[in-house]
Amino acid sequence: MCPPALIPFRPRNPKTRLSALLSLEEREQFARAMLEDVKAAVKDAMCSPVLVCTELFDSDDVQVTVTDTDLNGTLNGILPDSIGPTLIIMADLPLADTAAVRRMISTEKDVAIAPGRGGGTNAIFMKEPRRFHVDYYGTSFLKHMKIAQEAGLSVDVVDSFRLHTDIDEPWDLAELLIHGTGKSRAFLESLGFILSAEKGRVGVERVR
Amino acid sequence: MCPPALIPFRPRNPKTRLSALLSLEEREQFARAMLEDVKAAVKDAMCSPVLVCTELFDSDDVQVTVTDTDLNGTLNGILPDSIGPTLIIMADLPLADTAAVRRMISTEKDVAIAPGRGGGTNAIFMKEPRRFHVDYYGTSFLKHMKIAQEAGLSVDVVDSFRLHTDIDEPWDLAELLIHGTGKSRAFLESLGFILSAEKGRVGVERVR
């Protein structure tokens, strides 16, 4: 089984909440490095990455390019045509590893959901994507639980901090420097980011 | 196998970072409700809770009462006398469930560690506690990885957002309202806390 893994990705001006720490060019490179880490985890778990990009993106990956930026409309346009099990996974999960992706796709339930912090949804695996639709933004985790329930689909909530930890805010970078092993951690380190302890809570600082 | 689960607990004036939302009495009740949730998860996983309290605490649980507040000194005084596999788990993990605790205690490695956010350590399971010692505070996760390595002990990093999510800050309460199922969630709801969406990110508000 090599299910497709749809990975929404925004190549231009991504991760604006990191603007205080990273320049536009650095944010674009960082987003791409995180994407590479997610792709590596997904491929090692025997899934086939399919980038869902807001614009044409220079890569060798299979791509779906969409002109509008409505993630829900885009994905819900793709799912009804999906003929087999399908994974959707966010591109900003550089801690994702093969084991976590395998736990998603080996679920015994109809749907597996990996919640993100603050009620988000970081990954969804659907055995029958035609019977599901997505509703991102806000407390999408609760919305997806309800969508599954209303469709009569059983759900496995995958308990993984590696899939729970999306990188959005400056303090999230500490998680990457602690637990990351891939390209995005190396990229941060190449820019001079290190862990710093401030009043007990660990953060990051940029030393060059 | 019924390994002891050491649960450090501070009955008086706990969770001071929630002071803006909860009175002293409410914080003490909330901390106790979280402890009850952790104990329930631990007991369901066939572990025997042992409270490690900074003062005598009115409960039916097995207790170790310590007069000093040095968590490391306290636990490192206990571990050399532990004759079998031992779990240490924090009391502020109300999302912890039986499955997550089982993953800890069923590890094939010598030690299982569940990291907390920001480099903390939320749970440690040691098959041979005499060969390990703890070093909490700061990036304790990295310190514990090093301690295990230096002792020649293999380590399983348990990938669980339920064990990763300690409740310290006001925005952590949202995680409890989204994913909690036990007494501490019910307590928050009884106080009038509900989820609120503010600028895309989900928080909590207190409606009475």
Side-chain angles (χ1 to χ4, degrees):
Chain A
M1 182 180 76
C2 286
L6 306 177
I7 310 175
F9 184 65
R10 178 169 135 176
R12 296 261 176 258
N13 194 25
K15 295 292 149 195
T16 50
R17 281 182 272 171
L18 297 177
S19 298
L21 292 175
L22 298 172
S23 70
L24 170 62
E25 188 185 354
E26 288 167 345
R27 282 187 282 118
E28 292 185 353
Q29 292 171 326
F30 182 53
R32 186 158 177 162
M34 291 199 288
L35 172 65
E36 290 299 318
D37 288 340
V38 171
K39 276 171 44 192
V42 153
K43 284 180 175 175
D44 280 351
M46 299 290 284
C47 296
S48 307
V50 177
L51 304 193
V52 180
C53 297
T54 48
E55 55 197 286
L56 194 62
F57 170 59
D58 179 24
S59 85
D60 296 331
D61 302 294
V62 177
Q63 279 185 60
V64 178
T65 306
V66 293
T67 48
D68 72 61
T69 54
D70 170 24
L71 182 62
N72 291 322
T74 299
L75 291 170
N76 290 330
I78 295 172
L79 295 182
D81 296 329
S82 300
I83 54 171
T86 300
L87 176 69
I88 303 172
I89 184 166
M90 295 298 131
D92 59 353
L93 305 175
L95 303 187
D97 65 7
T98 308
V101 177
R102 280 206 189 115
R103 281 163 65 200
M104 296 288 301
I105 65 175
S106 63
T107 182
E108 294 179 355
K109 303 290 177 69
D110 299 318
V111 173
I113 299 181
R117 280 168 322 156
T121 306
N122 284 347
I124 306 179
F125 177 70
M126 299 144 287
K127 288 187 182 165
E128 297 177 80
R130 294 175 193 196
R131 295 177 63 194
F132 197 80
H133 66 277
V134 295
D135 191 352
Y136 284 97
Y137 308 117
T139 45
S140 65
F141 169 72
L142 296 176
K143 293 191 277 183
H144 289 137
M145 293 295 282
K146 192 175 176 192
I147 289 167
Q149 186 183 27
E150 288 175 352
L153 299 169
S154 59
V155 180
D156 189 5
V157 178
V158 173
D159 179 13
S160 163
F161 83 85
R162 295 188 162 277
L163 295 175
H164 192 247
T165 306
D166 38 345
I167 305 294
D168 283 321
E169 306 280 355
W171 51 84
D172 297 332
L173 300 182
E175 298 295 330
L176 183 51
L177 290 180
I178 292 166
H179 297 288
T181 56
K183 290 186 179 179
S184 43
R185 180 203 172 131
F187 178 71
L188 279 190
E189 287 178 334
S190 77
L191 293 179
F193 282 94
I194 59 168
L195 289 173
S196 70
E198 36 184 53
K199 290 183 189 167
R201 195 171 183 99
V202 175
V204 297
E205 59 181 307
R206 189 165 177 172
V207 293
R208 61 174 182 270
Chain B
M1 182 179 76
C2 286
L6 305 177
I7 310 177
F9 185 63
R10 178 170 135 174
R12 298 261 176 257
N13 194 25
K15 296 293 151 196
T16 51
R17 281 182 272 172
L18 297 177
S19 298
L21 292 175
L22 298 173
S23 70
L24 170 61
E25 187 185 355
E26 288 167 346
R27 283 187 283 117
E28 292 185 353
Q29 292 171 328
F30 182 52
R32 187 159 175 161
M34 292 200 287
L35 172 65
E36 290 299 318
D37 288 341
V38 171
K39 276 171 47 191
V42 153
K43 285 180 175 176
D44 280 352
M46 300 291 285
C47 295
S48 306
V50 176
L51 304 193
V52 180
C53 297
T54 48
E55 55 198 287
L56 195 62
F57 171 57
D58 178 23
S59 85
D60 296 331
D61 301 295
V62 177
Q63 281 185 57
V64 177
T65 306
V66 292
T67 48
D68 72 62
T69 55
D70 171 24
L71 182 62
N72 291 322
T74 298
L75 291 169
N76 289 331
I78 295 171
L79 295 182
D81 296 329
S82 301
I83 55 171
T86 300
L87 177 68
I88 303 171
I89 184 166
M90 296 297 131
D92 60 352
L93 305 176
L95 303 187
D97 64 7
T98 308
V101 177
R102 281 206 189 113
R103 282 162 65 200
M104 295 286 304
I105 64 175
S106 64
T107 183
E108 295 180 354
K109 302 290 177 68
D110 299 319
V111 173
I113 300 181
R117 280 167 323 153
T121 306
N122 284 348
I124 307 180
F125 178 69
M126 299 143 285
K127 287 187 182 165
E128 297 177 80
R130 294 175 193 195
R131 295 178 62 193
F132 197 78
H133 66 276
V134 295
D135 191 352
Y136 284 98
Y137 308 116
T139 45
S140 64
F141 170 72
L142 296 176
K143 291 191 279 183
H144 289 137
M145 294 294 283
K146 193 176 175 193
I147 289 167
Q149 186 182 27
E150 288 174 352
L153 299 168
S154 59
V155 180
D156 188 5
V157 178
V158 173
D159 178 13
S160 164
F161 84 84
R162 294 186 164 277
L163 296 175
H164 192 245
T165 306
D166 38 347
I167 305 294
D168 283 321
E169 306 280 355
W171 51 84
D172 297 332
L173 300 182
E175 298 295 330
L176 183 51
L177 290 180
I178 293 166
H179 297 289
T181 57
K183 291 186 180 179
S184 45
R185 181 205 172 129
F187 178 72
L188 279 190
E189 287 179 333
S190 77
L191 293 179
F193 282 95
I194 60 169
L195 289 172
S196 71
E198 37 184 50
K199 290 183 188 166
R201 194 169 185 102
V202 174
V204 297
E205 59 182 307
R206 189 167 178 172
V207 293
R208 59 176 182 271

